[in-house]
Amino acid sequence: MNPTLPPVAPSVTAELVAALTPRLRKRLDAGVAKVAGRPRERDGDVVRIAVDDDTDLELHAPSGVVTSAEAIRCGCLLAPDCLHRAAAASAAPVADPEQPSPSTTSDRDPSPAPAPTPPPAQAQAQAPGKTPPQPSAQTPAPTPNTGPAPDMTPGGMTPGGTTAGPDQRAAALALHDAAAAVLEAGTDGAGAVLQAELLRAAHTARLAKLPRAASRAVAVVTALRAARDADPAHRLADLTAALRDVLLLAHRIPDATGPELAELCGTARQPYTPDGSLRLYGLFTEPVLTATGYAGAVTWTADAAGRLYTVSDVAPGGAGRAGAAADRTVRVGDTSLTHRELSRAGLAVSGATVSATGRLGAGAGVRAVRASGADWHGDPLDRLWAVPPARQVSRALAGDRDLLFLDVTLLGTVREAAGECLVADCGGLTLRFTAAHDDPALPHRENLRLLASAPGARLRVVARLTPAPLPRAQLLAVSHPTDRATRLDLGVDRLRRADLPAASATALPPASQAGPTVDEAPVHLLRRRVHQAVSGGRRVLALPGDRGPDAARLRGHGLVTAGELLIELHAAAADRARDPFGRLLPSDSGRFARAWLAAAVLTEELDRILCAAAWGADPADPADPADPADPTDPTDPTDSADPAQAARPTGPAPPTDSPTDSPPPHPGPRVSGAKIHGSLPDPPAEPRERPR
């Protein structure tokens, strides 16, 4: 993937690759490497690539995205049936213009005059008395949890949206087959041809009104290209999560009914609902830099009741735009505040429109003026830090916002396999903070190093929960080490050595020894195999070897199901039947995909359960309504009486399920913000029939 090229629609790439002859398909990966390394220049909406001294390749993107095959033109003698057009489309970023996440879109309300009431399906999914789930400004975020209206019949859905229609079943099957082929080949074997097949399946899913599955399929292709290009931003865990989402959605959609089906389908665009007048106080600003070629900034605000709202400015771009977006004017009303200023000031909004994820719209009827801000240590923002950390973690694991508001004391650093992380004490609990972004153009990593050199400093911080066996979070904003009335946005502001307090004489325990030693469950034995399958493909797990000790160790720690899934995963990888003449028959990709999916979902759920145990949280009880300090208390007199404002659907959370024997109860498995009811695919069982 080359970020200097304009994004190309998935259907365009699939169409160009499908038009190639078998001989040219074998040369497509080499052609992609050649096109990616050739010089290019931009002239307005046209990007020209010099294929050779006499041939130019042009990509026309009037709206910033290449939306048709005719927009890619080549001057060679074989055009339009040449390899160059398909190679250019495969080398460019994948466009996902309909993804409504605030991490990847602008905050402009698509309709200046939204409907006065939420869509019926949204009203069904909402629960009065809860705050809207908050979006994440990291790598591609899930589609909001609002399904189509019951009177619609998208993609052949039966009237009333009770069961999946023929088009949706066929699209789910195509997604499953394409994702299973990618899983079997692994990162090294999933070249441009397999990527195009997955993009074709994603386009089919979008036409069948399955935007959530289509978006996750595009995320798989984007992560695959980053891995094959040795992009420093590539994370194997992100690719694994996206591939798991696609397979799990494809597995559940054909059998889902009613509200569950609406949640699994998702919506192409977020609806905005009127929210009256709002008095907001700035919290912090974080830069956005996604793997799909989008960049910008998101500013988080809160009202007097503790509800969080976001104002985003995200558009196609790179690290340069992410670093400069904080000084751009916010796009709400006529205010001239920049994102940096809004994070420390306030905003009075009239005629506000808010999406299901708490994002403020910027329609023509919205009015906003600057107002005074509030200190983190004073009302009304202080109530965010009054909620116990365990309850905040329970709320995040249950699908609500994933932000944590903590009071900590810095201890130093500890070295891990992925690098050093900042260690802090939070009421006797040892936390590990990591940088939200590793890009050197953003100051996250540098600020983290400077904070580590000030052990003993007491700070009020905002972090994003990272599910892990040990308490871990990404540090986003902190109070100033020497002036508690000042705050620092770690992705926007640069901390200086002079800002740090003088060395303290208080004796602190070494960071490497702080906190009790944890007897971790060996979940890594199963997680490692799940990641190996994604990276190396089926053949890596099919290598001969004794898997008994790993399975026995898992059983010894009470993870009986994990041990069985590990054995089944290797058995499915090595299962190759022969015909009467001794020749190997095609492998059963369905069995291997089911075994891998069960292992991946179980691993995710175990991480979630272990994370809750590490924080002392209960994932089945996100909040106690009787606690007056909880901002989500439905009895709070400051809450709005408007049910559309107070209601919210289930928020984003990792897709999970748990076939284990002994873990505590939990709300159920999730995919990109939707609870998935039902069981996981049973690897040892016979494959269930799928409509074709």
Side-chain angles (χ1 to χ4, degrees):
M1 182 182 69
N2 196 314
T4 61
L5 298 177
V8 178
S11 59
V12 174
T13 305
E15 177 183 350
L16 292 176
V17 174
L20 295 178
T21 63
R23 180 179 63 86
L24 291 180
R25 287 192 181 190
K26 295 179 181 179
R27 299 169 49 190
L28 181 56
D29 289 333
V32 171
K34 177 182 178 181
V35 168
R38 299 299 299 171
R40 61 185 60 86
E41 61 179 10
R42 180 180 290 272
D43 183 11
D45 296 330
V46 180
V47 175
R48 292 185 179 86
I49 304 175
V51 178
D52 52 40
D53 294 340
D54 302 323
T55 304
D56 286 340
L57 184 65
E58 295 183 351
L59 285 79
H60 295 257
S63 60
V65 177
V66 178
T67 57
S68 65
E70 292 74 17
I72 303 180
R73 307 167 188 172
C74 183
C76 71
L77 297 177
L78 298 179
D81 299 326
C82 62
L83 179 68
H84 303 138
R85 299 172 69 218
S90 300
V94 183
D96 194 9
E98 294 182 0
Q99 182 173 336
S101 166
S103 300
T104 56
T105 59
S106 167
D107 59 356
R108 182 66 59 182
D109 189 342
S111 173
T117 57
Q122 179 185 354
Q124 293 177 1
Q126 290 173 339
K130 296 291 185 178
T131 59
Q134 305 305 323
S136 169
Q138 290 180 297
T139 54
T143 307
N145 201 18
T146 54
D151 58 347
M152 299 175 61
T153 57
M157 184 185 296
T158 58
T162 56
T163 59
D167 293 348
Q168 291 178 323
R169 291 173 179 268
L173 177 61
L175 276 174
H176 179 275
D177 292 343
V182 169
L183 176 63
E184 183 154 347
T187 301
D188 295 336
V193 175
L194 287 181
Q195 295 172 21
E197 292 298 326
L198 188 54
L199 290 177
R200 177 181 294 277
H203 179 62
T204 303
R206 195 174 295 280
L207 294 179
K209 302 299 186 294
L210 300 176
R212 175 169 298 159
S215 179
R216 297 307 286 162
V218 170
V220 171
V221 175
T222 301
L224 279 174
R225 294 182 178 179
R228 292 173 62 85
D229 294 343
D231 189 340
H234 167 66
R235 296 293 181 269
L236 182 58
D238 295 339
L239 173 57
T240 302
L243 190 58
R244 181 191 63 238
D245 286 0
V246 174
L247 287 172
L248 190 53
L249 284 167
H251 172 76
R252 289 299 306 149
I253 285 174
D255 299 327
T257 59
E260 180 192 5
L261 177 61
E263 292 177 353
L264 295 177
C265 293
T267 54
R269 295 191 181 277
Q270 294 188 74
Y272 285 76
T273 58
D275 207 5
S277 299
L278 298 175
R279 177 63 169 91
L280 304 178
Y281 303 88
L283 278 172
F284 69 98
T285 296
E286 61 173 325
V288 176
L289 185 60
T290 73
T292 53
Y294 289 84
V298 172
T299 298
W300 292 79
T301 63
D303 64 5
R307 298 187 183 92
L308 299 186
Y309 299 85
T310 59
V311 180
S312 61
D313 179 10
V314 183
R321 191 183 193 282
D327 295 318
R328 297 171 62 94
T329 304
V330 299
R331 302 171 60 183
V332 177
D334 298 326
T335 179
S336 60
L337 281 172
T338 65
H339 284 270
R340 189 192 302 270
E341 293 171 342
L342 177 59
S343 66
R344 291 156 175 81
L347 202 65
V349 186
S350 62
T353 56
V354 184
S355 72
T357 55
R359 184 156 55 109
L360 290 175
V366 179
R367 298 289 182 268
V369 296
R370 179 170 184 162
S372 59
D375 185 76
W376 280 3
H377 295 80
D379 290 333
L381 298 183
D382 182 69
R383 65 179 303 171
L384 295 172
W385 279 265
V387 181
R391 183 159 298 154
Q392 296 187 49
V393 172
S394 297
R395 183 173 53 200
L397 294 176
D400 210 329
R401 61 179 183 237
D402 56 357
L403 293 184
L404 303 179
F405 301 88
L406 309 170
D407 290 301
V408 302
T409 301
L410 302 184
L411 299 179
T413 60
V414 63
R415 182 174 297 278
E416 297 180 338
E420 292 186 348
C421 61
L422 179 63
V423 181
D425 175 79
C426 178
L429 186 66
T430 302
L431 311 182
R432 301 189 180 196
F433 291 120
T434 58
H437 286 282
D438 290 328
D439 195 291
L442 301 177
H444 283 284
R445 181 66 63 181
E446 181 182 348
N447 288 336
L448 215 63
R449 290 196 189 99
L450 286 175
L451 289 175
S453 62
R458 291 180 172 84
L459 304 177
R460 178 159 278 191
V461 305
V462 181
R464 177 170 288 114
L465 177 66
T466 301
L470 295 175
R472 182 184 300 273
Q474 296 177 346
L475 201 57
L476 302 175
V478 301
S479 59
H480 197 281
T482 57
D483 182 8
R484 68 179 232 163
T486 305
R487 64 191 73 164
L488 298 170
D489 301 335
L490 298 185
V492 175
D493 305 317
R494 291 190 178 273
L495 193 63
R496 306 297 180 186
R497 181 71 64 177
D499 297 327
L500 301 179
S504 174
T506 304
L508 296 173
S512 58
Q513 301 177 4
T517 302
V518 180
D519 184 14
E520 297 184 33
V523 185
H524 65 278
L525 297 177
L526 185 60
R527 184 190 302 108
R528 181 172 56 194
R529 302 307 178 191
V530 170
H531 287 181
Q532 283 179 345
V534 175
S535 179
R538 175 195 189 114
R539 61 185 180 275
V540 173
L541 299 185
L543 297 175
D546 185 8
R547 317 301 179 190
D550 288 347
R553 185 178 175 190
L554 288 169
R555 294 192 188 99
H557 282 75
L559 304 177
V560 178
T561 304
E564 294 177 354
L565 289 179
L566 179 61
I567 294 177
E568 169 61 19
L569 182 60
H570 285 286
D575 183 16
R576 294 293 300 273
R578 296 179 180 270
D579 63 11
F581 297 98
R583 295 172 297 190
L584 284 174
L585 295 175
S587 59
D588 184 1
S589 59
R591 179 190 175 189
F592 179 66
R594 287 191 303 275
W596 181 88
L597 176 59
V601 173
L602 174 62
T603 301
E604 186 71 13
E605 178 64 7
L606 289 176
D607 283 342
R608 176 176 172 272
I609 294 173
L610 292 173
C611 174
W615 288 84
D618 182 3
D621 184 19
D624 183 4
D627 187 352
D630 193 338
T632 64
D633 183 3
T635 63
D636 194 316
T638 60
D639 284 354
S640 170
D642 184 4
Q645 175 178 344
R648 59 111 178 131
T650 305
T656 55
D657 198 355
S658 177
T660 52
D661 299 329
S662 57
H666 56 86
R670 308 171 189 275
V671 169
S672 301
K675 282 189 181 180
I676 296 184
H677 305 282
S679 61
L680 284 171
D682 187 4
E686 293 296 328
R688 62 181 179 84
E689 295 183 359
R690 284 179 168 272
R692 291 184 177 272

